Amino acid sequence: MAKNERWASRVGLVLAMAGNAVGLGNFLRFPAQAAQNGGGAFMIPYLVSLVVMGIPLMWIEWTMGRFGGGQGHHSTPGIFQSMGKSRLWKYAGVLGLLTCLGIASYYLYIESWCLSYSIYSLLGGFQPPEGVSPEDAAAFASGAPSAFFNRITGQQENQIFAISMPGLVMFAICIGINIFILSRGVAGGIEVVAKVAMPLLLLFGVVLAVKGLMNDPVAEEAVKYSPWIGLNYVWEPDLTQLGNPAVWLAAAGQIFFTLSIGMGSIHCYASYLRRKDDVALTGATTAWTNELCEVVLGSALLLPIAVSYLGLEAVQEQSGFGLAFMTLPTLFNNWGQFAPLAGFLWFGLLFLAAITSSLAMGQPVMAFLEDEFKLSRVKASWALMGMILLLAVPVATITQAGVFDDFDFWVGTFALVVFALLEVILFAWVFGMDRGWEELMRGAELKVPRAFYYITKYVTPVFIIVILLAAVFKPSVGWDGFFRSIGAGEGIPSWEWAGDSVIGKLLHKDLQAPHGASPEVATYYQWLRMIRTFDRLALAGLFLFFSVLVAIAWSRKNTQPKGTGA
Amino acid sequence: MNTDGMTTSAWLFMGIVWSVVLLMTAYCFAKLLTSKQFTEPDTDQDHTPPFKVEEDDLG
């Protein structure tokens, strides 16, 4: 049973927690966000968000998790209920299960790409065959990664459904690996993997970063620019952008992604601690280890390597995903005999970052089934696999219609912020900040500055509310355009919802056929809107499903004679 | 290593932030590895809940 499980060692716990936090966001999303939001201008709001939102939420989640674990709960419905008086809190905790399962369904898909790319790179699949002309070799090298991508995703232009047998097989293998590790338990599975994966990930990252930063445009013909231009772009401070609300929103959003807060996975891992185990120092260690992987390694890998071959402008035009999966394998070919190994290290790094995070997403759902329905670990892992498969099939086969992106928006972005707001209200205002602070400091081996008491109580909730409102009501001209117009004395610009705002998404503002589109294209967009409506209904259905399970579990508890139930 | 392309202000900003991150990570790990809970793990901690929760409160 989950309640009897414990972490085998403290270092293992920190590495597992850091593994949970260090994910694809550190190496793909962070450089892309930095590049799109003014480079150095992005870093100042990023660091402010880390201090006033990221670290307080990290401590809140660790403290809540340990508290709930003491009551026999290892998932957020039970943890929330143990801290709040109202019966409704357990339903708010359902969001912690929904986000974990929803994100896992598409995260595992990307994880399977990383595994496929890693193996294919090591086998030399992205290298041109020997004996071909330089022109043919160049053509092969530039087309091979996108051809491989289409092969494992089955994507074709203007096709809504995409089915690739090799891709589905790799996806199934990835799900199988995760389920197997989870079925081994917290100490025997997750902790063992974290102890191996995290040092390897750091090693892979350092090797690639050093090699990439040694690219020299003077000594090597293929290198066109200094890689340090890419690093300079991330770190050149542009103070004029500090007044741009869009940059602040992007930075705060990145903090959510990178620390894996607002998901329910930290609560779950922390619930396996004992009552007097420290959470202050271990929580801070996790946060700073994640920052090391993001701010240091994340900024020194993708952008510098890509900029050295393509130039800054070309790199700015591409997304993090495009650069990572389509462009970088080609660029590694310039590294001669080291190329297959470089590709293996890069995609291996992404795979390790992804698997340590996906394990953290699976564990809360398993713990919920073990705690509240007394399922054995093996049965819970099978149940988890069934749920992931149900969600994963549309993600993997209707990718072109944006099911993948839509899941990412609703459960991977919006739900995180809502969940974080609920938990900070529960912790600081319902449970009470004084009790919460006492809980945080129980067994603490780090003296948390008293300022965090006030930051957690006042600043963090206000910060999250601002982010939430800005995401819900974003105008089509963007918040920077909106405030610029007011600042210039032009008044409030005519209001239209942005396609990427919460309301804009609900109204399908991002899925309108272009003016003058042919009937075929208009029909295509109609299909897209219908599919998006169904995938949202599926997520709402999942929330209802977990809510019903919670209601059943608690009604059973209430009908059990006292002293016999959890 | 040819570091052309980095401006002084970028070097300065990166240096400060990387130093803070590296120092904080090193400080936390050093404190963790030398902490009492790490060197003398307390194996007989009680598991009683810090705040007693009545069954009725569980909803």
Side-chain angles (χ1 to χ4, degrees):
Chain A
M1 290 295 158
K3 68 171 68 173
N4 296 327
E5 287 194 78
R6 294 273 172 239
W7 294 100
S9 71
R10 207 154 161 224
V11 170
L13 163 66
V14 170
L15 290 177
M17 277 285 195
N20 168 31
V22 176
L24 297 170
N26 295 57
F27 303 103
L28 301 183
R29 197 174 186 275
F30 172 75
Q33 286 291 308
Q36 286 161 15
N37 290 284
F42 175 80
M43 290 311 299
I44 295 170
Y46 173 89
L47 295 170
V48 172
S49 304
L50 174 69
V51 173
V52 302
M53 191 182 70
I55 290 177
L57 279 172
M58 183 66 100
W59 275 325
I60 286 176
E61 296 194 355
W62 275 82
T63 309
M64 289 176 79
R66 187 186 58 178
F67 181 87
Q71 318 281 350
H73 298 291
H74 301 83
S75 59
T76 46
I79 293 170
F80 272 39
Q81 190 59 68
S82 66
M83 300 187 88
K85 285 276 179 192
S86 165
R87 294 169 182 213
L88 291 176
W89 278 112
K90 57 183 175 286
Y91 297 106
V94 167
L95 268 180
L97 299 176
L98 176 78
T99 48
C100 282
L101 196 60
I103 297 172
S105 67
Y106 64 85
Y107 205 85
L108 279 164
Y109 191 38
I110 308 173
E111 194 175 305
S112 73
W113 298 353
C114 299
L115 184 60
S116 307
Y117 267 80
S118 182
I119 296 167
Y120 199 65
S121 297
L122 194 63
L123 296 174
F126 296 119
Q127 286 201 299
E130 283 180 22
V132 297
S133 67
E135 291 79 19
D136 288 345
F140 176 88
S142 63
S146 50
F148 184 68
F149 185 79
N150 290 341
R151 206 167 123 200
I152 59 165
T153 58
Q155 284 190 15
Q156 289 172 28
E157 215 170 319
N158 293 327
Q159 290 279 326
I160 286 181
F161 296 97
I163 295 177
S164 153
M165 278 318 288
L168 289 179
V169 168
M170 288 308 285
F171 194 12
I173 289 173
C174 247
I175 294 175
I177 293 171
N178 275 267
I179 297 297
F180 173 73
I181 295 167
L182 286 170
S183 72
R184 309 281 300 169
V186 170
I190 297 169
E191 189 173 337
V192 170
V193 170
K195 280 178 175 170
V196 176
M198 286 307 290
L200 266 182
L201 181 151
L202 284 170
L203 178 71
F204 287 9
V206 169
V207 170
L208 283 174
V210 170
K211 175 81 179 103
L213 290 171
M214 283 170 70
N215 277 352
D216 190 344
V218 179
E220 297 162 70
E221 196 187 336
V223 178
K224 303 280 185 263
Y225 307 90
S226 166
W228 294 82
I229 294 173
L231 206 56
N232 183 73
Y233 181 65
V234 178
W235 292 105
E236 174 75 52
D238 177 7
L239 300 179
T240 59
Q241 288 294 314
L242 279 183
N244 185 346
V247 175
W248 281 88
L249 282 176
Q254 179 60 23
I255 289 295
F256 265 100
F257 275 101
T258 190
L259 292 176
S260 297
I261 45 183
M263 282 177 58
S265 53
I266 294 175
H267 307 76
C268 177
Y269 276 10
S271 70
Y272 296 100
L273 288 170
R274 293 169 301 182
R275 186 188 167 197
K276 289 176 190 165
D277 281 346
D278 157 88
V279 290
L281 177 61
T282 31
T285 311
T286 306
W288 287 110
T289 307
N290 177 71
E291 289 313 302
L292 176 76
C293 290
E294 175 147 307
V295 170
V296 179
L297 273 185
S299 67
L301 281 171
L302 191 59
L303 282 182
I305 295 173
V307 164
S308 67
Y309 293 105
L310 305 171
L312 189 57
E313 281 181 21
V315 169
Q316 282 173 304
E317 286 167 11
Q318 298 190 42
S319 71
F321 266 85
L323 268 181
F325 288 98
M326 307 289 196
T327 311
L328 223 51
T330 307
L331 303 183
F332 284 145
N333 281 335
N334 295 306
W335 289 3
Q337 289 185 327
F338 187 62
L341 185 62
F344 171 75
L345 293 181
W346 169 246
F347 291 110
L349 174 145
L350 294 182
F351 175 72
L352 293 174
I355 194 168
T356 47
S357 300
S358 61
L359 289 173
M361 294 170 203
Q363 183 61 24
V365 180
M366 278 188 51
F368 171 72
L369 296 172
E370 288 177 60
D371 289 342
E372 318 302 352
F373 288 91
K374 310 298 171 211
L375 255 60
S376 69
R377 196 192 292 158
V378 175
K379 280 184 184 167
S381 56
W382 280 106
L384 172 67
M385 187 158 121
M387 290 184 217
I388 289 179
L389 279 176
L390 269 179
L391 284 174
V393 169
V395 167
T397 55
I398 328 179
T399 312
Q400 197 86 329
V403 172
F404 183 114
D405 293 333
D406 215 34
F407 273 29
D408 186 39
F409 180 83
W410 292 106
V411 291
T413 309
F414 179 63
L416 301 188
V417 186
V418 174
F419 184 78
L421 180 61
L422 290 172
E423 73 182 357
V424 75
I425 290 171
L426 173 60
F427 182 84
W429 294 92
V430 177
F431 187 68
M433 197 59 220
D434 288 331
R435 288 172 74 191
W437 189 259
E438 189 189 329
E439 263 301 296
L440 169 65
M441 298 313 289
R442 188 189 306 279
E445 291 183 322
L446 179 77
K447 193 170 171 10
V448 179
R450 185 71 182 169
F452 277 101
Y453 176 99
Y454 301 101
I455 290 174
T456 306
K457 188 169 184 182
Y458 301 107
V459 182
T460 310
V462 170
F463 207 79
I464 300 172
I465 288 169
V466 171
I467 293 169
L468 193 59
L469 292 177
V472 172
F473 300 109
K474 186 179 171 187
S476 61
V477 292
W479 286 114
D480 49 336
F482 180 80
F483 286 111
R484 207 182 307 126
S485 174
I486 293 175
E490 294 165 9
I492 297 173
S494 63
W495 192 274
E496 187 145 350
W497 301 110
D500 60 348
S501 67
V502 173
I503 293 179
K505 287 267 183 193
L506 284 173
L507 299 174
H508 295 307
K509 289 285 178 191
D510 54 336
L511 292 177
Q512 301 299 318
H515 285 296
S518 65
E520 289 79 19
V521 173
T523 311
Y524 176 73
Y525 274 89
Q526 226 169 4
W527 267 98
L528 293 186
R529 288 195 291 272
M530 196 173 75
I531 288 168
R532 293 280 179 97
T533 304
F534 275 115
D535 80 54
R536 288 163 199 181
L537 286 173
L539 290 176
L542 187 63
F543 182 85
L544 271 177
F545 170 69
F546 276 125
S547 299
V548 169
L549 287 186
V550 165
I552 293 170
W554 261 261
S555 73
R556 279 184 185 178
K557 281 178 205 288
N558 288 340
T559 53
Q560 274 174 350
K562 282 191 180 182
T564 62
Chain B
M1 200 179 284
N2 181 352
T3 61
D4 286 353
M6 281 287 276
T7 62
T8 309
S9 54
W11 269 119
L12 197 67
F13 189 43
M14 187 179 87
I16 292 169
V17 177
W18 281 26
S19 302
V20 170
V21 170
L22 286 165
L23 282 173
M24 284 307 295
T25 312
Y27 170 76
C28 286
F29 265 103
K31 210 165 164 51
L32 194 83
L33 296 174
T34 55
S35 68
K36 206 176 161 195
Q37 286 180 30
F38 186 79
T39 52
E40 299 166 33
D42 177 12
T43 50
D44 60 352
Q45 289 198 70
D46 65 83
H47 290 182
T48 44
F51 297 98
K52 186 74 184 156
V53 177
E54 295 298 329
E55 286 290 319
D56 292 345
D57 286 344
L58 295 174

